[in-house]
Amino acid sequence: MHIKPLVWGAALLAGTAQAACPFADPSYIAKRDGDASNQQGSGPVERAKLDDSNVYMSSDVGGPMGDQFSLRVGRRGPTLLEDFIFRQKLQHFDHERIPERVVHARGAGAHGTFTSYADWSNLTAASFLGAKDKTTPVFVRFSTVAGSKGSADTARDVHGFAVRLYTDEGNLDIVGNNIPVFFIQDAIRFPDLVHSVKPSPDNEIPQGATAHDSAWDFFSSQPSTMHTLFWAMSGNGIPRSYRHMDGFGVHTFRFVKDDGSTKLIKWHWKTRQGKASLVWEEAQVLSGKNADFHRQDLWDAIESGNGPEWELAVQVVDEDKALAYGFDLTDPTKFLPEEFAPLVPLGFMKLDRNPTNYFAETEQISFQPGHVVRGIDFSDDPLLHGRLYSYLDTQLSRHGGPNFEQLPINQPHSPVHNNNRDGRNQIFIHKNIAHYTPNTLNNGYPAQANQTVGRGFFTAPGRSASGNLVRELSHTFDDHWSQPRLFFNSLSPAEQQFLINAMRFEASHLKSEQVKQNVLTQLNRISNDVARRVAIALGLDAPAPDPTFYHDNKTAGVSIFDHPLPTIKTLRVGVLSTTKNLDQAKQLKEALAKDGLAVTIVGETLTGGVDQTYSAADATVFDGVVVADGAEALFSGKGSPLFPTGRPNQIVVDAYRWGKPVGALGGAKTALESADVPVTPGVFVEDRVDALVGKFEEGLKTFRFVDRFPLDE
């Protein structure tokens, strides 16, 4: 009775270990131990690390012990309650988990540094921006929003982009998303939003997706959601990786100088890898093939020494210009076009070290918009004000008490001195018994810091507010349709088609005819063209134009596919070969790897030189595919019992259909013919490896050849 489950569990763990990374390329992962970026530092996380090598097992209170057998009366007798080793082990196991986040449950994180370009004291008193080349440790957590911890990375969703800067004057959290706007304007509506996009409470379906009635019922009834919805239905909702997306602070904040003067600012993290996204069918397939694709990609890039980088920039606006651009700058459903306020680059962030323990670091880190430092202050954004309360309240719930800030990943790198005491899981041992202010028994310490003494945080002295108490939003928040149209106008025709197709896919899952009509009504206020094209797919009549908010304006910086990638390092290339002739595949791998590409040679079996078998390979995991000379034999004939029928053809066809660069060497051009892949832009046929490499790498910079996707007439 007691043995079988243990044997089954061991077998399951063994199988999981073997299958944990179905697309991992052994040649891509660098050894971690010798990487200088992974050497121990001196922060709270490093000091908390335990090394279990070459030691005896001990109890939680330090007594050496063994824990593989329960204490029982005779070999076949009952287990004794006095067995403290058994009780300690099982009780700790029973309490290993903490509640997952209500939103942003699915995520991955990494350590790194931020480096300031200059002394920015002309803008802010924030110390991390106070000197040229000043470095600040950071931890970043990327995430999806709607799905649970067990959902897939590549579900269409807004993506969280939360950055903690461990500054020398306290922790600063920029808790944002990869989209610059949000669904709602007032935080009191946030529970309604989340309830609507979560799975149906009767059957917990669908997981991590919004293609259902309740989500679109809310979207179409709450028009402020339209702008964020357009961003999410574009490539921003299905990024190629966490590394290939921008980040935004969403809200308007203030920079405050030492003298108390202020400017309004918007935070931007601009990816140095370039923006890139998946296409929808590819994302769906990838969800099933490798649900951990994004977290694996981030981990692998850092381990290989190619940690991602972002430039931190701000848009700076004078306080009296908050209403100067045709909308209210404190409205979180609006973004500020760069033509109105150009980006000011402040510094750059590089992620260079993976967590040692996912739970202790990535899961337990507790971000809050209320983690601000001297030189940063809030605006009157009503969504931001609600988040200042909600994030703290959520962490209290998840961690069971107020001392979660003492966890190593949450501890600031600057000293902590205050009169907070006791509570669950108190880690500090306070020596001061006069834990109140004012006091004389401890000579008045800890002393009060303010604007002029002790470099304390201070609220911008120029802030003011007046008016009657009301339950309403400002009329300056009323236009919900002009900016979604601005966003749509600014996309390329192919990206517009992707957005339309995403709308069609989501709306086609709706059961309620009323919700479908409401969706068309809202879309029609943005664009009659969009409403008409969605209506056709739903078999409904297109509404008459509603032109109140129609315009032809465009803005820069929102398109994903209109610029080549600035770097192709870490992109993955699949080389389809045959174990009968691997010479050319090896030459190609060597040539591409010199330029930082992660190359996987695919063959029938894992013989020397083959990284992955055809049975495990799929086009979703590659950014480009090349067929080596000799492999064409696998594309025709009876097939092989070593891989699913037609798998080589399927890889090439899917890569082509999803807009990826495809290549063929020598006789392998007949493989393209067998797969019905025409020689069009992005398809490269050469006889020699050296002739192919340069052209293929240029194709990888293009990333997606979107002319392969049909457009509506």
Side-chain angles (χ1 to χ4, degrees), residues 156-218:
R156 183 182 291 279
D157 203 348
V158 176
H159 287 68
F161 196 120
V163 181
R164 169 163 298 168
L165 296 107
Y166 298 93
T167 84
D168 52 13
E169 292 188 341
N171 289 350
L172 170 64
D173 289 354
I174 303 175
V175 194
N177 290 324
N178 75 322
I179 290 172
V181 291
F182 200 64
F183 291 99
I184 53 174
Q185 298 164 317
D186 191 328
I188 202 169
R189 299 170 183 168
F190 189 69
D192 303 302
L193 168 66
V194 176
H195 287 168
S196 73
V197 302
K198 285 288 189 178
S200 179
D202 56 352
N203 57 16
E204 191 69 6
I205 298 174
Q207 180 57 250
T210 56
H212 54 89
D213 283 61
S214 63
W216 285 83
D217 184 27
F218 184 83

Side-chain angles (χ1 to χ4, degrees), residues 385-419:
H385 287 197
R387 293 181 73 202
L388 295 176
Y389 163 77
S390 183
Y391 276 66
L392 172 58
D393 193 46
T394 298
Q395 304 304 349
L396 290 169
S397 174
R398 293 186 74 225
H399 296 285
N403 292 318
F404 59 87
E405 302 282 22
Q406 297 178 16
L407 294 168
I409 191 64
N410 290 325
Q411 281 187 35
H413 289 202
S414 54
V416 176
H417 298 289
N418 56 47
N419 292 326

Side-chain angles (χ1 to χ4, degrees), residues 289 291 334 348 405 605 694 698 705:
K289 294 283 187 177
K334 307 296 191 297
F348 74 95
E405 302 282 22
T605 62
E698 285 300 312
F705 291 85

Side-chain angles (χ1 to χ4, degrees), residues 67 184-185 216 221 228 280-281 329 376 474 574-575 637 678 698 705:
D67 73 344
I184 53 174
Q185 298 164 317
W216 285 83
S221 302
T228 301
W280 179 229
E281 186 184 3
L329 204 60
I376 312 293
S474 169
V575 178
E698 285 300 312
F705 291 85

Side-chain angles (χ1 to χ4, degrees), residues 24-27 589 599-603 605-613:
D25 175 6
S27 68
K589 178 174 181 174
V599 184
T600 300
I601 296 178
V602 182
T605 62
L606 290 177
T607 188
V610 174
D611 301 306
Q612 190 176 65
T613 64

Side-chain angles (χ1 to χ4, degrees), residues 473-544:
L473 287 169
S474 169
H475 67 86
T476 56
F477 283 35
D478 287 347
D479 177 5
H480 307 302
W481 303 278
S482 295
Q483 284 215 342
R485 185 178 179 97
L486 175 66
F487 174 77
F488 185 79
N489 290 348
S490 305
L491 299 178
S492 67
E495 289 174 295
Q496 291 180 342
Q497 187 68 58
F498 292 158
L499 189 153
I500 295 293
N501 292 347
M503 294 276 190
R504 288 167 169 170
F505 175 88
E506 299 260 326
S508 68
H509 287 74
L510 305 181
K511 308 301 181 185
S512 168
E513 294 302 319
Q514 182 62 57
V515 173
K516 292 178 185 177
Q517 290 293 342
N518 291 346
V519 169
L520 294 181
T521 297
Q522 293 298 341
L523 295 180
N524 192 45
R525 291 174 180 171
I526 299 167
S527 166
N528 181 253
D529 176 55
V530 172
R532 177 184 58 80
R533 293 161 73 179
V534 173
I536 290 172
L538 299 179
L540 299 175
D541 294 331

